[in-house]
Amino acid sequence: MERSLYLEKNIGPLDRVIRLTLGAALVIAPALFGWSPWTIAISAAIGGSQIIEGIIAY
C-alpha cells in the first residue's frame, strides 16, 4: 500500500469558484456590517485562507 507523499489537488473548478466567493464574502461583509473588530479579524483570517486555497487549489 504505497501512497504518494506529494500534495495532490483536492478541489475542482467549481470548488475553486465557491472558495473564492466565500473567501471574498468573509473578508468584505463583516466590515460592511460593522461587526466587532475581533469578529472581523477572525472572519478575514478564515476568508483569506479560503481565497488562498481557491487560488492554489491545494
Side-chain angles (χ1 to χ4, degrees):
M1 183 164 110
E2 291 186 32
R3 293 181 53 183
S4 175
L5 297 177
Y6 297 108
L7 291 174
E8 297 179 11
K9 289 188 175 188
N10 62 357
I11 61 174
L14 180 61
D15 296 325
R16 291 180 80 175
V17 171
I18 292 171
R19 286 181 192 243
L20 290 170
T21 305
L22 177 65
L26 285 171
V27 170
I28 296 169
L32 291 177
F33 292 130
W35 293 359
S36 70
W38 279 105
T39 308
I40 292 172
I42 292 170
S43 176
I46 294 170
S49 68
Q50 291 300 310
I51 291 171
I52 290 172
E53 288 178 9
I55 291 171
I56 62 173
Y58 282 97

